Amino acid sequence: MIPAVLVLLLGYFLVHSIMGQLGFLALRDLSRQTDIMERKAAQIAQKRAALEARVALLRPDHLDPDMLDEQVRRSLGFVHQDEILILNPDDLIAPH
């Protein structure tokens, strides 16, 4: 009787160590989710750095005339007759 109980007890703990809420399979899924989130965080950090660089060009103490011209044209939709305007859809600002 005691060996049967021990085998059942061992089986119970073995199953839960593999398939349980804190088992091996759950750990593997968490590891995958962590990798995905780290990649997303890296992409967001890269986008943030690019935006910070663009914002730095518009600071009052160091105003880049080309960046100012670009922002004014984008906001007002102004183009000279002899110009060709090519917009990147990712850079468009939604109207307020």
Side-chain angles (χ1 to χ4, degrees), residues 55-70:
V55 167
L57 295 174
L58 292 173
R59 298 220 186 268
D61 57 332
H62 182 292
L63 187 61
D64 183 31
D66 291 332
M67 182 61 73
L68 179 63
D69 184 56
E70 178 185 334

Side-chain angles (χ1 to χ4, degrees), residues 69 73 77-85:
D69 184 56
R73 288 172 185 261
F78 181 76
V79 179
H80 291 288
Q81 290 180 350
D82 61 343
E83 292 180 331
I84 297 173
L85 182 64

Side-chain angles (χ1 to χ4, degrees), residues 34-50:
T34 302
D35 291 342
I36 291 169
M37 293 298 165
E38 285 175 349
R39 278 186 252 134
K40 285 182 182 180
Q43 290 173 347
I44 290 171
Q46 189 177 27
K47 286 181 182 179
R48 179 182 175 155

Side-chain angles (χ1 to χ4, degrees), residues 4-96:
V5 171
L6 290 176
V7 168
L8 289 175
L9 192 60
L10 180 64
Y12 173 80
F13 285 116
L14 184 64
V15 167
H16 281 284
S17 68
I18 294 173
M19 301 178 69
Q21 190 175 17
L22 301 174
F24 176 74
L25 297 179
L27 178 64
R28 188 180 63 188
D29 290 341
L30 285 175
S31 177
R32 286 182 189 159
Q33 289 177 0
T34 302
D35 291 342
I36 291 169
M37 293 298 165
E38 285 175 349
R39 278 186 252 134
K40 285 182 182 180
Q43 290 173 347
I44 290 171
Q46 189 177 27
K47 286 181 182 179
R48 179 182 175 155
L51 289 173
E52 285 176 350
R54 289 179 60 88
V55 167
L57 295 174
L58 292 173
R59 298 220 186 268
D61 57 332
H62 182 292
L63 187 61
D64 183 31
D66 291 332
M67 182 61 73
L68 179 63
D69 184 56
E70 178 185 334
Q71 292 298 321
V72 168
R73 288 172 185 261
R74 181 177 292 136
S75 297
L76 300 177
F78 181 76
V79 179
H80 291 288
Q81 290 180 350
D82 61 343
E83 292 180 331
I84 297 173
L85 182 64
I86 301 173
L87 295 176
N88 182 356
D90 295 336
D91 291 339
L92 293 178
I93 299 172
H96 298 292

